[in-house]
Each structure stands twice: as structure tokens, then as C-alpha cells.
Amino acid sequence: MLLPESVRLIDRRRFLLLSIAGTPDRPAADPYQDRRLRMVKNQIEARGVRNPAVLDSMRAVPREKFVPASVQPQAYEDHPLPIGFGQTISQPYIVAFMTELLAVRKSHRVLEIGTGSGYQAAVLSALVEHVYSIELLPALARLAAQTLSDLGYRNVTVREGDGYLGWPDKAPFDRIILTAAPPQLPQILVDELKPGGKLVAPIGSGDDQNLVLVEKSETGKITTKTVLPVRFVPMRKGI
Ligand code: SAH
């Protein structure tokens, strides 16, 4: 039977809309999904990270969107990558390991020093109430804020600034994570930690750096555990 022209036109338009949006039967393809899932299985679960929420977040965040186009095909490889300005995005495993070590809860407000690409902040975003992240280099701070906003991460605030000064307006924090290495732990960051809080940081210089877990008891007593030798970019003094 011949349909009137107007009906056929509407049908064709609806079909076009459906094929652009994707349907539950045929979701729009994510060319990086397989690599992301393999990364979590082979690099992260295989090395002992077990926290289901951390693993889910690592399965969800599109790491390729946080690196320059030139290295996008390597986004899921087992090593750090350059993000410009002499800085790097950490190896996926170390991001997952540090996130697990931080032992975050949904109610937490977290301070990150060293926004870089914004990837670590994105991984934390699904796990906590709010992430506050400080980046020293203005261009990286702007780019990370843009990437996070384009991808719809609404509970991350990025600020250009010097992490050595902390974030007094937003302190105290339940958790603090440093992704650049200071020679010693800055006291101001310990002071900005709530009682019962935890801080994870690479401490040291050059080849001699260790990841440490700092815990503040309810009475304010500080304990520090050395966890793992690591290699991060240095945390530099702002001018
Ligand atoms: N967390 C990032 C990786 C960080 S690389 C990610 O997921 O991509 C370390 C970052 O720390 C760099 O971008 C560097 O510019 C920044 N940095 C160095 N010294 C700093 C300081 N004093 N305050 C804030 N950021 C600093």
C-alpha cells in the first residue's frame, strides 16, 4: 500500500534520529571501551586493587579524553603519558592504587594537589561528594577544567594556584591526595586535614620518592606509613 508522502517523510526522519542517538539494542559504539575494560582487568585487578567502586570508576572514566590527541591511542597502556608542559598523567594502576588507599566515602570532600589532565579528579568524582583540585600551571588548570566540564563532571572544582598554600577557604578536607612530589610533606596540608582524615602523597625528590599514607586520628595524632617507591613529577614552589 502506498502511504501518503507526509507519513513516509516523518517515518524516515524518526529512523534517522534513532540511528544517530543509538538504541538500547545497538548502543553508540565506544571505540575505547574494550581497551578500558582490559586495562582494569590486566593492569589493575591483576595487581591486587579490589575496591569495587574504584574499579567501576576506572571502567567508566574515558582516559583517552584526558590526553593529547597525539597519544590517545596509548591512553590505556601500562605507563604514564605526557600531557604537555613537561607534565604527565600517571600510570593507570597508580591512579587506582592511590584512590583505593585513600579509602574515600560518598560524603567526603577531597583536596587534590596537581590537577594535571584532570583524570585523577574524574576518577574520584563518582566516589565522593566534591573534589577540589589545585593546579600550578594556568594553561593546564584551564584545560582540565574544560575537559571535566565537557564530560559532565559537576562535582569537581579546579583552581589555578600553588598547592603549598593549601585551600584555606574550603578546608578542612576528609581526604587529601598529592599527585606531584614535595621534598617533605607541607605542614599546611596536614593542618587542612580533618580529624580522622587520610592523606596520600609521593614524598621525596628525584629517584628517591616514596608513596606515603598519613592518617590523623580523632585526637589529632599523626601517623605516617611508607607504602611504595614511586616516581612523580616534582611539586614546585609557585612564584
Ligand atoms: N593528577 C594528574 C597528574 C598530575 S602531574 C592527572 O590525573 O593527570 C602533576 C601536576 O602537579 C602537574 O600538572 C604540575 O603542574 C602540578 N604541580 C606541580 N607543582 C604544583 C604546586 N605547587 N601546586 C599545584 N600543582 C602543582
Side-chain angles (χ1 to χ4, degrees), residues 87-89 112-117 119-120 134-137 140 161-164 179-180 233-236:
Q87 306 305 317
T88 53
I89 178 174
E112 179 191 29
I113 308 295
T115 319
S117 67
Y119 178 70
Q120 171 75 72
I134 305 178
E135 170 56 48
L136 186 67
L137 300 178
L140 272 180
D162 180 358
Y164 281 106
T179 62
V233 296
M235 183 167 160
R236 289 174 302 154

mmCIF file with all atom_site columns, all heavy atoms in Angstrom, residues 87-89 112-117 119-120 134-137 140 161-164 179-180 233-236, ligand 1:
data_model
loop_
_atom_site.group_PDB
_atom_site.id
_atom_site.type_symbol
_atom_site.label_atom_id
_atom_site.label_alt_id
_atom_site.label_comp_id
_atom_site.label_asym_id
_atom_site.label_entity_id
_atom_site.label_seq_id
_atom_site.pdbx_PDB_ins_code
_atom_site.Cartn_x
_atom_site.Cartn_y
_atom_site.Cartn_z
_atom_site.occupancy
_atom_site.B_iso_or_equiv
_atom_site.pdbx_formal_charge
_atom_site.auth_seq_id
_atom_site.auth_comp_id
_atom_site.auth_asym_id
_atom_site.auth_atom_id
_atom_site.pdbx_PDB_model_num
ATOM   1   N N   . GLN A 1 87  ? 54.664 17.862 31.913 1.00 0.00 ? 87  GLN A N   1
ATOM   2   C CA  . GLN A 1 87  ? 53.931 17.129 32.965 1.00 0.00 ? 87  GLN A CA  1
ATOM   3   C C   . GLN A 1 87  ? 53.409 15.794 32.424 1.00 0.00 ? 87  GLN A C   1
ATOM   4   O O   . GLN A 1 87  ? 53.415 15.560 31.224 1.00 0.00 ? 87  GLN A O   1
ATOM   5   C CB  . GLN A 1 87  ? 52.778 17.984 33.495 1.00 0.00 ? 87  GLN A CB  1
ATOM   6   C CG  . GLN A 1 87  ? 53.216 19.371 33.961 1.00 0.00 ? 87  GLN A CG  1
ATOM   7   C CD  . GLN A 1 87  ? 54.334 19.327 34.995 1.00 0.00 ? 87  GLN A CD  1
ATOM   8   O OE1 . GLN A 1 87  ? 54.307 18.518 35.916 1.00 0.00 ? 87  GLN A OE1 1
ATOM   9   N NE2 . GLN A 1 87  ? 55.317 20.177 34.826 1.00 0.00 ? 87  GLN A NE2 1
ATOM   10  N N   . THR A 1 88  ? 52.978 14.934 33.320 1.00 0.00 ? 88  THR A N   1
ATOM   11  C CA  . THR A 1 88  ? 52.496 13.612 32.892 1.00 0.00 ? 88  THR A CA  1
ATOM   12  C C   . THR A 1 88  ? 51.190 13.253 33.594 1.00 0.00 ? 88  THR A C   1
ATOM   13  O O   . THR A 1 88  ? 50.896 13.752 34.682 1.00 0.00 ? 88  THR A O   1
ATOM   14  C CB  . THR A 1 88  ? 53.526 12.500 33.239 1.00 0.00 ? 88  THR A CB  1
ATOM   15  O OG1 . THR A 1 88  ? 53.846 12.600 34.632 1.00 0.00 ? 88  THR A OG1 1
ATOM   16  C CG2 . THR A 1 88  ? 54.787 12.634 32.418 1.00 0.00 ? 88  THR A CG2 1
ATOM   17  N N   . ILE A 1 89  ? 50.438 12.384 32.952 1.00 0.00 ? 89  ILE A N   1
ATOM   18  C CA  . ILE A 1 89  ? 49.292 11.722 33.583 1.00 0.00 ? 89  ILE A CA  1
ATOM   19  C C   . ILE A 1 89  ? 49.847 10.388 34.090 1.00 0.00 ? 89  ILE A C   1
ATOM   20  O O   . ILE A 1 89  ? 50.584 9.708  33.372 1.00 0.00 ? 89  ILE A O   1
ATOM   21  C CB  . ILE A 1 89  ? 48.128 11.549 32.575 1.00 0.00 ? 89  ILE A CB  1
ATOM   22  C CG1 . ILE A 1 89  ? 46.930 10.814 33.178 1.00 0.00 ? 89  ILE A CG1 1
ATOM   23  C CG2 . ILE A 1 89  ? 48.545 10.814 31.327 1.00 0.00 ? 89  ILE A CG2 1
ATOM   24  C CD1 . ILE A 1 89  ? 45.710 10.779 32.224 1.00 0.00 ? 89  ILE A CD1 1
ATOM   25  N N   . GLU A 1 112 ? 42.751 17.684 45.965 1.00 0.00 ? 112 GLU A N   1
ATOM   26  C CA  . GLU A 1 112 ? 43.846 17.132 45.157 1.00 0.00 ? 112 GLU A CA  1
ATOM   27  C C   . GLU A 1 112 ? 44.842 18.258 44.852 1.00 0.00 ? 112 GLU A C   1
ATOM   28  O O   . GLU A 1 112 ? 44.438 19.353 44.466 1.00 0.00 ? 112 GLU A O   1
ATOM   29  C CB  . GLU A 1 112 ? 43.323 16.575 43.828 1.00 0.00 ? 112 GLU A CB  1
ATOM   30  C CG  . GLU A 1 112 ? 44.461 16.031 42.963 1.00 0.00 ? 112 GLU A CG  1
ATOM   31  C CD  . GLU A 1 112 ? 44.081 15.690 41.523 1.00 0.00 ? 112 GLU A CD  1
ATOM   32  O OE1 . GLU A 1 112 ? 43.154 16.320 40.968 1.00 0.00 ? 112 GLU A OE1 1
ATOM   33  O OE2 . GLU A 1 112 ? 44.710 14.795 40.960 1.00 0.00 ? 112 GLU A OE2 1
ATOM   34  N N   . ILE A 1 113 ? 46.143 17.963 45.005 1.00 0.00 ? 113 ILE A N   1
ATOM   35  C CA  . ILE A 1 113 ? 47.183 18.917 44.592 1.00 0.00 ? 113 ILE A CA  1
ATOM   36  C C   . ILE A 1 113 ? 47.817 18.374 43.314 1.00 0.00 ? 113 ILE A C   1
ATOM   37  O O   . ILE A 1 113 ? 48.375 17.265 43.314 1.00 0.00 ? 113 ILE A O   1
ATOM   38  C CB  . ILE A 1 113 ? 48.275 19.081 45.678 1.00 0.00 ? 113 ILE A CB  1
ATOM   39  C CG1 . ILE A 1 113 ? 47.673 19.407 47.048 1.00 0.00 ? 113 ILE A CG1 1
ATOM   40  C CG2 . ILE A 1 113 ? 49.292 20.135 45.238 1.00 0.00 ? 113 ILE A CG2 1
ATOM   41  C CD1 . ILE A 1 113 ? 46.959 20.722 47.150 1.00 0.00 ? 113 ILE A CD1 1
ATOM   42  N N   . GLY A 1 114 ? 47.724 19.131 42.220 1.00 0.00 ? 114 GLY A N   1
ATOM   43  C CA  . GLY A 1 114 ? 48.284 18.680 40.940 1.00 0.00 ? 114 GLY A CA  1
ATOM   44  C C   . GLY A 1 114 ? 47.205 18.136 40.025 1.00 0.00 ? 114 GLY A C   1
ATOM   45  O O   . GLY A 1 114 ? 47.164 16.944 39.733 1.00 0.00 ? 114 GLY A O   1
ATOM   46  N N   . THR A 1 115 ? 46.321 19.017 39.560 1.00 0.00 ? 115 THR A N   1
ATOM   47  C CA  . THR A 1 115 ? 45.199 18.587 38.698 1.00 0.00 ? 115 THR A CA  1
ATOM   48  C C   . THR A 1 115 ? 45.690 17.917 37.421 1.00 0.00 ? 115 THR A C   1
ATOM   49  O O   . THR A 1 115 ? 45.088 16.939 36.971 1.00 0.00 ? 115 THR A O   1
ATOM   50  C CB  . THR A 1 115 ? 44.331 19.803 38.266 1.00 0.00 ? 115 THR A CB  1
ATOM   51  O OG1 . THR A 1 115 ? 44.162 20.681 39.360 1.00 0.00 ? 115 THR A OG1 1
ATOM   52  C CG2 . THR A 1 115 ? 43.003 19.356 37.701 1.00 0.00 ? 115 THR A CG2 1
ATOM   53  N N   . GLY A 1 116 ? 46.764 18.465 36.833 1.00 0.00 ? 116 GLY A N   1
ATOM   54  C CA  . GLY A 1 116 ? 47.300 17.920 35.587 1.00 0.00 ? 116 GLY A CA  1
ATOM   55  C C   . GLY A 1 116 ? 46.225 17.862 34.524 1.00 0.00 ? 116 GLY A C   1
ATOM   56  O O   . GLY A 1 116 ? 45.599 18.871 34.178 1.00 0.00 ? 116 GLY A O   1
ATOM   57  N N   . SER A 1 117 ? 45.948 16.656 34.033 1.00 0.00 ? 117 SER A N   1
ATOM   58  C CA  . SER A 1 117 ? 44.925 16.470 32.993 1.00 0.00 ? 117 SER A CA  1
ATOM   59  C C   . SER A 1 117 ? 43.504 16.524 33.552 1.00 0.00 ? 117 SER A C   1
ATOM   60  O O   . SER A 1 117 ? 42.542 16.682 32.803 1.00 0.00 ? 117 SER A O   1
ATOM   61  C CB  . SER A 1 117 ? 45.118 15.109 32.336 1.00 0.00 ? 117 SER A CB  1
ATOM   62  O OG  . SER A 1 117 ? 44.838 14.085 33.280 1.00 0.00 ? 117 SER A OG  1
ATOM   63  N N   . TYR A 1 119 ? 42.377 13.769 35.153 1.00 0.00 ? 119 TYR A N   1
ATOM   64  C CA  . TYR A 1 119 ? 41.942 12.361 35.154 1.00 0.00 ? 119 TYR A CA  1
ATOM   65  C C   . TYR A 1 119 ? 41.730 11.818 36.578 1.00 0.00 ? 119 TYR A C   1
ATOM   66  O O   . TYR A 1 119 ? 40.692 11.223 36.872 1.00 0.00 ? 119 TYR A O   1
ATOM   67  C CB  . TYR A 1 119 ? 42.961 11.499 34.395 1.00 0.00 ? 119 TYR A CB  1
ATOM   68  C CG  . TYR A 1 119 ? 42.622 10.037 34.374 1.00 0.00 ? 119 TYR A CG  1
ATOM   69  C CD1 . TYR A 1 119 ? 41.549 9.556  33.630 1.00 0.00 ? 119 TYR A CD1 1
ATOM   70  C CD2 . TYR A 1 119 ? 43.363 9.116  35.120 1.00 0.00 ? 119 TYR A CD2 1
ATOM   71  C CE1 . TYR A 1 119 ? 41.229 8.199  33.622 1.00 0.00 ? 119 TYR A CE1 1
ATOM   72  C CE2 . TYR A 1 119 ? 43.055 7.765  35.112 1.00 0.00 ? 119 TYR A CE2 1
ATOM   73  C CZ  . TYR A 1 119 ? 41.990 7.316  34.362 1.00 0.00 ? 119 TYR A CZ  1
ATOM   74  O OH  . TYR A 1 119 ? 41.672 5.983  34.357 1.00 0.00 ? 119 TYR A OH  1
ATOM   75  N N   . GLN A 1 120 ? 42.708 12.044 37.461 1.00 0.00 ? 120 GLN A N   1
ATOM   76  C CA  . GLN A 1 120 ? 42.553 11.558 38.837 1.00 0.00 ? 120 GLN A CA  1
ATOM   77  C C   . GLN A 1 120 ? 41.310 12.181 39.495 1.00 0.00 ? 120 GLN A C   1
ATOM   78  O O   . GLN A 1 120 ? 40.568 11.503 40.202 1.00 0.00 ? 120 GLN A O   1
ATOM   79  C CB  . GLN A 1 120 ? 43.817 11.891 39.636 1.00 0.00 ? 120 GLN A CB  1
ATOM   80  C CG  . GLN A 1 120 ? 43.711 11.628 41.123 1.00 0.00 ? 120 GLN A CG  1
ATOM   81  C CD  . GLN A 1 120 ? 43.785 10.154 41.492 1.00 0.00 ? 120 GLN A CD  1
ATOM   82  O OE1 . GLN A 1 120 ? 44.842 9.536  41.421 1.00 0.00 ? 120 GLN A OE1 1
ATOM   83  N NE2 . GLN A 1 120 ? 42.660 9.592  41.899 1.00 0.00 ? 120 GLN A NE2 1
ATOM   84  N N   . ILE A 1 134 ? 43.846 21.692 42.814 1.00 0.00 ? 134 ILE A N   1
ATOM   85  C CA  . ILE A 1 134 ? 44.692 22.877 42.574 1.00 0.00 ? 134 ILE A CA  1
ATOM   86  C C   . ILE A 1 134 ? 45.785 22.525 41.566 1.00 0.00 ? 134 ILE A C   1
ATOM   87  O O   . ILE A 1 134 ? 46.464 21.499 41.713 1.00 0.00 ? 134 ILE A O   1
ATOM   88  C CB  . ILE A 1 134 ? 45.367 23.353 43.880 1.00 0.00 ? 134 ILE A CB  1
ATOM   89  C CG1 . ILE A 1 134 ? 44.325 23.605 44.974 1.00 0.00 ? 134 ILE A CG1 1
ATOM   90  C CG2 . ILE A 1 134 ? 46.200 24.612 43.626 1.00 0.00 ? 134 ILE A CG2 1
ATOM   91  C CD1 . ILE A 1 134 ? 44.928 24.042 46.311 1.00 0.00 ? 134 ILE A CD1 1
ATOM   92  N N   . GLU A 1 135 ? 45.939 23.367 40.559 1.00 0.00 ? 135 GLU A N   1
ATOM   93  C CA  . GLU A 1 135 ? 46.987 23.173 39.555 1.00 0.00 ? 135 GLU A CA  1
ATOM   94  C C   . GLU A 1 135 ? 47.820 24.449 39.432 1.00 0.00 ? 135 GLU A C   1
ATOM   95  O O   . GLU A 1 135 ? 47.281 25.539 39.277 1.00 0.00 ? 135 GLU A O   1
ATOM   96  C CB  . GLU A 1 135 ? 46.354 22.804 38.205 1.00 0.00 ? 135 GLU A CB  1
ATOM   97  C CG  . GLU A 1 135 ? 47.302 22.804 37.020 1.00 0.00 ? 135 GLU A CG  1
ATOM   98  C CD  . GLU A 1 135 ? 48.521 21.902 37.184 1.00 0.00 ? 135 GLU A CD  1
ATOM   99  O OE1 . GLU A 1 135 ? 48.353 20.731 37.574 1.00 0.00 ? 135 GLU A OE1 1
ATOM   100 O OE2 . GLU A 1 135 ? 49.645 22.380 36.940 1.00 0.00 ? 135 GLU A OE2 1
ATOM   101 N N   . LEU A 1 136 ? 49.143 24.269 39.457 1.00 0.00 ? 136 LEU A N   1
ATOM   102 C CA  . LEU A 1 136 ? 50.061 25.408 39.413 1.00 0.00 ? 136 LEU A CA  1
ATOM   103 C C   . LEU A 1 136 ? 50.085 26.079 38.038 1.00 0.00 ? 136 LEU A C   1
ATOM   104 O O   . LEU A 1 136 ? 50.185 27.311 37.948 1.00 0.00 ? 136 LEU A O   1
ATOM   105 C CB  . LEU A 1 136 ? 51.471 24.919 39.778 1.00 0.00 ? 136 LEU A CB  1
ATOM   106 C CG  . LEU A 1 136 ? 52.550 25.970 39.935 1.00 0.00 ? 136 LEU A CG  1
ATOM   107 C CD1 . LEU A 1 136 ? 52.275 26.867 41.139 1.00 0.00 ? 136 LEU A CD1 1
ATOM   108 C CD2 . LEU A 1 136 ? 53.922 25.301 40.108 1.00 0.00 ? 136 LEU A CD2 1
ATOM   109 N N   . LEU A 1 137 ? 50.032 25.291 36.973 1.00 0.00 ? 137 LEU A N   1
ATOM   110 C CA  . LEU A 1 137 ? 50.194 25.863 35.632 1.00 0.00 ? 137 LEU A CA  1
ATOM   111 C C   . LEU A 1 137 ? 48.840 26.316 35.081 1.00 0.00 ? 137 LEU A C   1
ATOM   112 O O   . LEU A 1 137 ? 47.931 25.498 34.884 1.00 0.00 ? 137 LEU A O   1
ATOM   113 C CB  . LEU A 1 137 ? 50.820 24.826 34.678 1.00 0.00 ? 137 LEU A CB  1
ATOM   114 C CG  . LEU A 1 137 ? 52.209 24.322 35.103 1.00 0.00 ? 137 LEU A CG  1
ATOM   115 C CD1 . LEU A 1 137 ? 52.722 23.258 34.128 1.00 0.00 ? 137 LEU A CD1 1
ATOM   116 C CD2 . LEU A 1 137 ? 53.191 25.481 35.204 1.00 0.00 ? 137 LEU A CD2 1
ATOM   117 N N   . LEU A 1 140 ? 47.258 24.373 32.091 1.00 0.00 ? 140 LEU A N   1
ATOM   118 C CA  . LEU A 1 140 ? 46.756 23.026 32.435 1.00 0.00 ? 140 LEU A CA  1
ATOM   119 C C   . LEU A 1 140 ? 45.481 23.129 33.266 1.00 0.00 ? 140 LEU A C   1
ATOM   120 O O   . LEU A 1 140 ? 44.536 22.349 33.076 1.00 0.00 ? 140 LEU A O   1
ATOM   121 C CB  . LEU A 1 140 ? 47.811 22.240 33.204 1.00 0.00 ? 140 LEU A CB  1
ATOM   122 C CG  . LEU A 1 140 ? 48.819 21.435 32.380 1.00 0.00 ? 140 LEU A CG  1
ATOM   123 C CD1 . LEU A 1 140 ? 49.793 20.720 33.304 1.00 0.00 ? 140 LEU A CD1 1
ATOM   124 C CD2 . LEU A 1 140 ? 48.112 20.410 31.490 1.00 0.00 ? 140 LEU A CD2 1
ATOM   125 N N   . GLY A 1 161 ? 46.630 27.627 41.102 1.00 0.00 ? 161 GLY A N   1
ATOM   126 C CA  . GLY A 1 161 ? 47.248 28.112 42.333 1.00 0.00 ? 161 GLY A CA  1
ATOM   127 C C   . GLY A 1 161 ? 48.380 27.214 42.770 1.00 0.00 ? 161 GLY A C   1
ATOM   128 O O   . GLY A 1 161 ? 48.714 26.242 42.093 1.00 0.00 ? 161 GLY A O   1
ATOM   129 N N   . ASP A 1 162 ? 48.948 27.551 43.913 1.00 0.00 ? 162 ASP A N   1
ATOM   130 C CA  . ASP A 1 162 ? 50.089 26.817 44.452 1.00 0.00 ? 162 ASP A CA  1
ATOM   131 C C   . ASP A 1 162 ? 49.633 25.931 45.601 1.00 0.00 ? 162 ASP A C   1
ATOM   132 O O   . ASP A 1 162 ? 49.188 26.425 46.637 1.00 0.00 ? 162 ASP A O   1
ATOM   133 C CB  . ASP A 1 162 ? 51.135 27.834 44.934 1.00 0.00 ? 162 ASP A CB  1
ATOM   134 C CG  . ASP A 1 162 ? 52.363 27.151 45.505 1.00 0.00 ? 162 ASP A CG  1
ATOM   135 O OD1 . ASP A 1 162 ? 52.392 25.905 45.553 1.00 0.00 ? 162 ASP A OD1 1
ATOM   136 O OD2 . ASP A 1 162 ? 53.294 27.865 45.906 1.00 0.00 ? 162 ASP A OD2 1
ATOM   137 N N   . GLY A 1 163 ? 49.754 24.626 45.393 1.00 0.00 ? 163 GLY A N   1
ATOM   138 C CA  . GLY A 1 163 ? 49.320 23.659 46.400 1.00 0.00 ? 163 GLY A CA  1
ATOM   139 C C   . GLY A 1 163 ? 50.015 23.817 47.739 1.00 0.00 ? 163 GLY A C   1
ATOM   140 O O   . GLY A 1 163 ? 49.494 23.388 48.772 1.00 0.00 ? 163 GLY A O   1
ATOM   141 N N   . TYR A 1 164 ? 51.222 24.409 47.753 1.00 0.00 ? 164 TYR A N   1
ATOM   142 C CA  . TYR A 1 164 ? 51.929 24.616 49.020 1.00 0.00 ? 164 TYR A CA  1
ATOM   143 C C   . TYR A 1 164 ? 51.150 25.553 49.942 1.00 0.00 ? 164 TYR A C   1
ATOM   144 O O   . TYR A 1 164 ? 51.400 25.600 51.137 1.00 0.00 ? 164 TYR A O   1
ATOM   145 C CB  . TYR A 1 164 ? 53.331 25.193 48.775 1.00 0.00 ? 164 TYR A CB  1
ATOM   146 C CG  . TYR A 1 164 ? 54.340 24.143 48.346 1.00 0.00 ? 164 TYR A CG  1
ATOM   147 C CD1 . TYR A 1 164 ? 54.779 24.071 47.023 1.00 0.00 ? 164 TYR A CD1 1
ATOM   148 C CD2 . TYR A 1 164 ? 54.854 23.227 49.258 1.00 0.00 ? 164 TYR A CD2 1
ATOM   149 C CE1 . TYR A 1 164 ? 55.703 23.111 46.623 1.00 0.00 ? 164 TYR A CE1 1
ATOM   150 C CE2 . TYR A 1 164 ? 55.777 22.262 48.872 1.00 0.00 ? 164 TYR A CE2 1
ATOM   151 C CZ  . TYR A 1 164 ? 56.200 22.212 47.560 1.00 0.00 ? 164 TYR A CZ  1
ATOM   152 O OH  . TYR A 1 164 ? 57.101 21.259 47.186 1.00 0.00 ? 164 TYR A OH  1
ATOM   153 N N   . THR A 1 179 ? 49.513 14.595 43.745 1.00 0.00 ? 179 THR A N   1
ATOM   154 C CA  . THR A 1 179 ? 49.972 13.843 42.581 1.00 0.00 ? 179 THR A CA  1
ATOM   155 C C   . THR A 1 179 ? 51.215 14.496 41.970 1.00 0.00 ? 179 THR A C   1
ATOM   156 O O   . THR A 1 179 ? 51.554 14.245 40.827 1.00 0.00 ? 179 THR A O   1
ATOM   157 C CB  . THR A 1 179 ? 48.851 13.658 41.540 1.00 0.00 ? 179 THR A CB  1
ATOM   158 O OG1 . THR A 1 179 ? 48.452 14.950 41.073 1.00 0.00 ? 179 THR A OG1 1
ATOM   159 C CG2 . THR A 1 179 ? 47.654 12.951 42.123 1.00 0.00 ? 179 THR A CG2 1
ATOM   160 N N   . ALA A 1 180 ? 51.863 15.352 42.761 1.00 0.00 ? 180 ALA A N   1
ATOM   161 C CA  . ALA A 1 180 ? 53.198 15.849 42.467 1.00 0.00 ? 180 ALA A CA  1
ATOM   162 C C   . ALA A 1 180 ? 53.963 15.694 43.773 1.00 0.00 ? 180 ALA A C   1
ATOM   163 O O   . ALA A 1 180 ? 53.358 15.760 44.854 1.00 0.00 ? 180 ALA A O   1
ATOM   164 C CB  . ALA A 1 180 ? 53.147 17.321 42.051 1.00 0.00 ? 180 ALA A CB  1
ATOM   165 N N   . VAL A 1 233 ? 56.326 13.687 39.096 1.00 0.00 ? 233 VAL A N   1
ATOM   166 C CA  . VAL A 1 233 ? 56.945 14.978 38.797 1.00 0.00 ? 233 VAL A CA  1
ATOM   167 C C   . VAL A 1 233 ? 57.026 15.756 40.116 1.00 0.00 ? 233 VAL A C   1
ATOM   168 O O   . VAL A 1 233 ? 56.222 15.538 41.020 1.00 0.00 ? 233 VAL A O   1
ATOM   169 C CB  . VAL A 1 233 ? 56.153 15.784 37.735 1.00 0.00 ? 233 VAL A CB  1
ATOM   170 C CG1 . VAL A 1 233 ? 56.141 15.056 36.394 1.00 0.00 ? 233 VAL A CG1 1
ATOM   171 C CG2 . VAL A 1 233 ? 54.751 16.101 38.194 1.00 0.00 ? 233 VAL A CG2 1
ATOM   172 N N   . PRO A 1 234 ? 58.019 16.648 40.238 1.00 0.00 ? 234 PRO A N   1
ATOM   173 C CA  . PRO A 1 234 ? 58.159 17.390 41.497 1.00 0.00 ? 234 PRO A CA  1
ATOM   174 C C   . PRO A 1 234 ? 57.027 18.380 41.722 1.00 0.00 ? 234 PRO A C   1
ATOM   175 O O   . PRO A 1 234 ? 56.485 18.936 40.767 1.00 0.00 ? 234 PRO A O   1
ATOM   176 C CB  . PRO A 1 234 ? 59.494 18.132 41.333 1.00 0.00 ? 234 PRO A CB  1
ATOM   177 C CG  . PRO A 1 234 ? 59.799 18.129 39.880 1.00 0.00 ? 234 PRO A CG  1
ATOM   178 C CD  . PRO A 1 234 ? 59.062 16.979 39.261 1.00 0.00 ? 234 PRO A CD  1
ATOM   179 N N   . MET A 1 235 ? 56.672 18.586 42.984 1.00 0.00 ? 235 MET A N   1
ATOM   180 C CA  . MET A 1 235 ? 55.761 19.668 43.343 1.00 0.00 ? 235 MET A CA  1
ATOM   181 C C   . MET A 1 235 ? 56.623 20.921 43.483 1.00 0.00 ? 235 MET A C   1
ATOM   182 O O   . MET A 1 235 ? 57.538 20.966 44.306 1.00 0.00 ? 235 MET A O   1
ATOM   183 C CB  . MET A 1 235 ? 55.060 19.327 44.654 1.00 0.00 ? 235 MET A CB  1
ATOM   184 C CG  . MET A 1 235 ? 54.040 20.354 45.078 1.00 0.00 ? 235 MET A CG  1
ATOM   185 S SD  . MET A 1 235 ? 53.025 19.679 46.415 1.00 0.00 ? 235 MET A SD  1
ATOM   186 C CE  . MET A 1 235 ? 52.364 21.169 47.122 1.00 0.00 ? 235 MET A CE  1
ATOM   187 N N   . ARG A 1 236 ? 56.322 21.889 42.629 1.00 0.00 ? 236 ARG A N   1
ATOM   188 C CA  . ARG A 1 236 ? 57.180 23.075 42.571 1.00 0.00 ? 236 ARG A CA  1
ATOM   189 C C   . ARG A 1 236 ? 56.585 24.222 43.370 1.00 0.00 ? 236 ARG A C   1
ATOM   190 O O   . ARG A 1 236 ? 55.360 24.301 43.532 1.00 0.00 ? 236 ARG A O   1
ATOM   191 C CB  . ARG A 1 236 ? 57.378 23.468 41.113 1.00 0.00 ? 236 ARG A CB  1
ATOM   192 C CG  . ARG A 1 236 ? 58.272 22.443 40.411 1.00 0.00 ? 236 ARG A CG  1
ATOM   193 C CD  . ARG A 1 236 ? 58.384 22.700 38.955 1.00 0.00 ? 236 ARG A CD  1
ATOM   194 N NE  . ARG A 1 236 ? 57.099 22.694 38.302 1.00 0.00 ? 236 ARG A NE  1
ATOM   195 C CZ  . ARG A 1 236 ? 56.834 23.355 37.182 1.00 0.00 ? 236 ARG A CZ  1
ATOM   196 N NH1 . ARG A 1 236 ? 57.738 24.123 36.635 1.00 0.00 ? 236 ARG A NH1 1
ATOM   197 N NH2 . ARG A 1 236 ? 55.639 23.251 36.628 1.00 0.00 ? 236 ARG A NH2 1
HETATM 198 N N1  . SAH B 2 .   ? 46.730 14.142 38.761 1.00 0.00 ? 1   SAH B N1  1
HETATM 199 C C1  . SAH B 2 .   ? 47.164 14.429 37.412 1.00 0.00 ? 1   SAH B C1  1
HETATM 200 C C2  . SAH B 2 .   ? 48.627 14.164 37.176 1.00 0.00 ? 1   SAH B C2  1
HETATM 201 C C3  . SAH B 2 .   ? 49.421 15.207 37.825 1.00 0.00 ? 1   SAH B C3  1
HETATM 202 S S1  . SAH B 2 .   ? 51.021 15.561 37.209 1.00 0.00 ? 1   SAH B S1  1
HETATM 203 C C4  . SAH B 2 .   ? 46.340 13.687 36.388 1.00 0.00 ? 1   SAH B C4  1
HETATM 204 O O1  . SAH B 2 .   ? 45.484 12.889 36.761 1.00 0.00 ? 1   SAH B O1  1
HETATM 205 O O2  . SAH B 2 .   ? 46.553 13.943 35.202 1.00 0.00 ? 1   SAH B O2  1
HETATM 206 C C5  . SAH B 2 .   ? 51.436 16.712 38.490 1.00 0.00 ? 1   SAH B C5  1
HETATM 207 C C6  . SAH B 2 .   ? 50.828 18.071 38.335 1.00 0.00 ? 1   SAH B C6  1
HETATM 208 O O3  . SAH B 2 .   ? 51.160 18.820 39.502 1.00 0.00 ? 1   SAH B O3  1
HETATM 209 C C7  . SAH B 2 .   ? 51.378 18.866 37.152 1.00 0.00 ? 1   SAH B C7  1
HETATM 210 O O4  . SAH B 2 .   ? 50.321 19.248 36.328 1.00 0.00 ? 1   SAH B O4  1
HETATM 211 C C8  . SAH B 2 .   ? 52.068 20.053 37.796 1.00 0.00 ? 1   SAH B C8  1
HETATM 212 O O5  . SAH B 2 .   ? 51.955 21.257 37.041 1.00 0.00 ? 1   SAH B O5  1
HETATM 213 C C9  . SAH B 2 .   ? 51.319 20.163 39.118 1.00 0.00 ? 1   SAH B C9  1
HETATM 214 N N2  . SAH B 2 .   ? 52.051 20.876 40.170 1.00 0.00 ? 1   SAH B N2  1
HETATM 215 C C10 . SAH B 2 .   ? 53.389 20.933 40.404 1.00 0.00 ? 1   SAH B C10 1
HETATM 216 N N3  . SAH B 2 .   ? 53.650 21.699 41.478 1.00 0.00 ? 1   SAH B N3  1
HETATM 217 C C11 . SAH B 2 .   ? 52.443 22.149 41.941 1.00 0.00 ? 1   SAH B C11 1
HETATM 218 C C12 . SAH B 2 .   ? 52.047 23.003 43.024 1.00 0.00 ? 1   SAH B C12 1
HETATM 219 N N4  . SAH B 2 .   ? 52.933 23.562 43.846 1.00 0.00 ? 1   SAH B N4  1
HETATM 220 N N5  . SAH B 2 .   ? 50.734 23.240 43.188 1.00 0.00 ? 1   SAH B N5  1
HETATM 221 C C13 . SAH B 2 .   ? 49.788 22.700 42.357 1.00 0.00 ? 1   SAH B C13 1
HETATM 222 N N6  . SAH B 2 .   ? 50.113 21.899 41.314 1.00 0.00 ? 1   SAH B N6  1
HETATM 223 C C14 . SAH B 2 .   ? 51.420 21.624 41.112 1.00 0.00 ? 1   SAH B C14 1
#
